[in-house]
Amino acid sequence: MTVLNIGIVGCAGRMGRALLAAVHDAPDSHIAGGTDVAESGWVGRDLGEVLGREAIGLAVGDDARALFTVADAVIDFTSPKATVLHARLAAETRTVWVLGTTGTSAAGDAAVADAATKTAVVRAANMSVGVNLLIGLARKAAAALDTEFDAEILEFHHKHKVDAPSGTALALGAAIADARGQDHDKVKVLGRHGVTGERRRGEIGYAVLRGGNVIGDHTVVFAGESERIELVHRAGSRDIFARGALRAAHWAHGKPPGLYGMADVLGLTD
Ligand code: NAD
């Protein structure tokens, strides 16, 4: 078993805490350290305190360079503003970088691509192993079934979510369209109401539910004549993103420089 020293930037955030707990509890991982910004109020306090547990003798830092230098891999769920700096440090120190931050700028994307020429970078908008498996399964099913089966996607999220359909639902639709040789933008139907007319062959329809504190459910339906296949994923907590990111860090350790996704980590790229 290779034990990795994992650094967590943004360790006082919602995902940062989930990551600290995941690394702390994993037998094959050690916490190399954690950083956050001064405004978080956590810099200088013990990482165990961030977790609400006993002190572990490591304080929250604010020096990302020092963390990238000592860590085997750094996991980053912070803010798009931090992406360029972290990309530069990953490149300079040749440290595995697992990037979960979403909404990065064009400059951030360019910095990520540049870092990936120097070190292994894993980037995914959804790091859950289960969701990425679902995307891979939907892709395989779509390729096998073609447009003879009607593909529909249903997603259900908590009442605070501000966008619809979810990015994950759209990623599922894009994977289905790609597997069937379609242009997703031309076949997606984001809602139906009134007299819609009959369903067109090859459409990918979306339905959205909102309510309560549902973390995120996604269902892909392939409806054929007299038979129906349903693939379902239900998220129970944000720990699934942390566990996926940790798995990505271990997978990427020792890999050549490159920009990888969760499909690579899970062996779903064929
Ligand atoms: P959050 O606001 O709770 O946490 C972000 C943390 O990063 C904060 O503590 C903040 O102070 C810190 N931070 C900001 N700039 C920093 C810097 N330069 N250096 C160090 N720390 C810094 O947000 P969150 O809910 O944890 O989400 C963080 C990011 O992860 C968002 O972009 C979110 O969309 C994304 N996310 C991705 C996935 C996925 O699976 N890829 C899952 C959940 C969230």
Side-chain angles (χ1 to χ4, degrees), residues 8-17 35-40 42 61-62 64 76-83 85-86 99-103 123-128 132 238 240-242:
I8 300 161
V9 284
C11 65
R14 279 170 294 214
M15 276 307 303
R17 285 163 200 251
T35 65
D36 212 294
V37 292
E39 303 85 79
S40 72
W42 283 99
D62 58 1
D76 182 346
F77 287 68
T78 56
S79 143
K81 287 192 198 130
T83 303
L85 171 65
H86 292 162
L99 177 63
T101 307
T102 59
R123 179 185 204 184
N126 190 319
M127 292 265 174
S128 142
N132 285 282
R238 64 181 61 242
I240 60 175
F241 309 120

Side-chain angles (χ1 to χ4, degrees), residues 206-222:
Y206 289 82
V208 173
L209 302 182
R210 291 286 175 265
N213 63 351
V214 178
I215 290 178
D217 293 354
H218 293 89
T219 303
V220 181
V221 181
F222 293 97

Side-chain angles (χ1 to χ4, degrees), residues 192-200 203:
R192 297 189 181 101
H193 52 87
V195 182
T196 59
E198 282 189 13
R199 190 186 199 282
R200 284 180 298 133
E203 275 180 13

Side-chain angles (χ1 to χ4, degrees), residues 17 22 26 58 95 119 132 136 140 157 166 172 211-212 225 229 238 250 268:
R17 285 163 200 251
L58 278 172
T95 305
T119 188
N132 285 282
K140 278 201 162 70
H157 281 86
S166 68
L172 283 162
E225 295 302 323
I229 299 157
R238 64 181 61 242
H250 279 269
L268 295 169

